[in-house]
Amino acid sequence: MNRTRVPFYFVLYLVVLIQLLAVIIERDSTELELQARLNEYATIQDSIISLYSRPILLDVQEETDWLISSKDSVHVLISISNLHTLEEKSGVQYYINPDDEGDYYNVFLDKKTGNGNFYFKTNKNGVYNFDVYCKLRRQLPRYLPDIIIDGIFAKVGTDYKATSDTVSFRIKAKHQQQSFDKPGRG
């Protein structure tokens, strides 16, 4: 009777040992999968950080010739690049530094593209120089998973503001030359 009990417990011991080994192997493979996924998230985070680290670039036509009329103003497009979300594009703030403070100018933001529409009006002939730059708060896309956003915030912080380069442009304004006939001509 003693001999029949020992093999049964031994077999039971082997079954438990095999089950424990299966759990350990499953745990190790799950840890490897988790580590691979975390590495993938870190790669995504680094690529997004490098994408958002690119400088904000402005592009403006360097020189504009404008014939002054009493009804019209001149329009200059300020193009912006390296914006990625609609929230960024709608939150751009443009700053203009003119050489001469006496004339009327304004910048209106196109919230869909982030571009600026610069309007200028004067009644005086001359060359008018302007410098433009912008500021904005960088905002990540909403569709990113929380684990990626949290990792990015851990690396660069939650309040990431960017300032563009400063671009100079000029407007050459002059009145239209009108030719008049000499008096007495028929």
Side-chain angles (χ1 to χ4, degrees):
M1 200 165 185
N2 201 6
R3 290 182 178 212
T4 58
R5 285 187 164 189
V6 172
F8 174 73
Y9 287 117
F10 182 72
V11 170
L12 189 60
Y13 174 75
L14 286 177
V15 168
V16 169
L17 192 61
I18 291 172
Q19 287 294 328
L20 182 62
L21 187 60
V23 168
I24 291 171
I25 291 172
E26 185 177 339
R27 182 203 65 193
D28 289 346
S29 67
T30 305
E31 282 181 356
L32 289 174
E33 287 176 21
L34 177 63
Q35 188 61 41
R37 184 163 291 180
L38 290 175
N39 289 342
E40 181 181 337
Y41 288 156
T43 303
I44 292 170
Q45 291 166 358
D46 292 340
S47 68
I48 290 173
I49 289 170
S50 71
L51 185 67
Y52 277 75
S53 297
R54 292 182 184 163
I56 305 298
L57 301 175
L58 296 181
D59 187 34
V60 182
Q61 183 175 335
E62 289 181 24
E63 192 170 294
T64 303
D65 292 328
W66 177 51
L67 292 176
I68 299 170
S69 73
S70 59
K71 300 176 189 173
D72 231 355
S73 60
V74 66
H75 171 246
V76 177
L77 178 66
I78 304 168
S79 298
I80 191 167
S81 59
N82 292 339
L83 299 183
H84 305 289
T85 64
L86 188 59
E87 293 83 10
E88 284 183 328
K89 293 174 183 177
S90 65
V92 177
Q93 296 175 335
Y94 286 97
Y95 298 92
I96 304 289
N97 297 324
D99 278 352
D100 187 13
E101 294 289 333
D103 298 299
Y104 175 74
Y105 64 90
N106 207 347
V107 177
F108 296 100
L109 174 66
D110 181 348
K111 292 188 177 196
K112 291 182 181 177
T113 63
N115 293 335
N117 294 296
F118 176 80
Y119 293 95
F120 174 72
K121 185 170 179 86
T122 187
N123 288 324
K124 298 182 276 182
N125 289 340
V127 176
Y128 300 90
N129 296 305
F130 299 93
D131 294 327
V132 62
Y133 67 96
C134 72
K135 292 183 179 181
L136 63 114
R137 184 173 179 266
R138 299 308 305 249
Q139 296 188 13
L140 298 172
R142 294 181 184 175
Y143 58 81
L144 291 174
D146 289 339
I147 190 167
I148 292 176
I149 292 175
D150 293 341
I152 291 171
F153 286 162
K155 292 178 181 179
V156 297
T158 58
D159 194 28
Y160 182 47
K161 295 183 180 181
T163 302
S164 74
D165 57 335
T166 300
V167 178
S168 299
F169 64 99
R170 113 179 18 144
I171 297 173
K172 291 182 177 179
K174 64 180 178 178
H175 285 92
Q176 186 171 4
Q177 297 290 332
Q178 296 182 359
S179 59
F180 293 102
D181 273 346
K182 293 182 182 177
R185 280 190 140 183

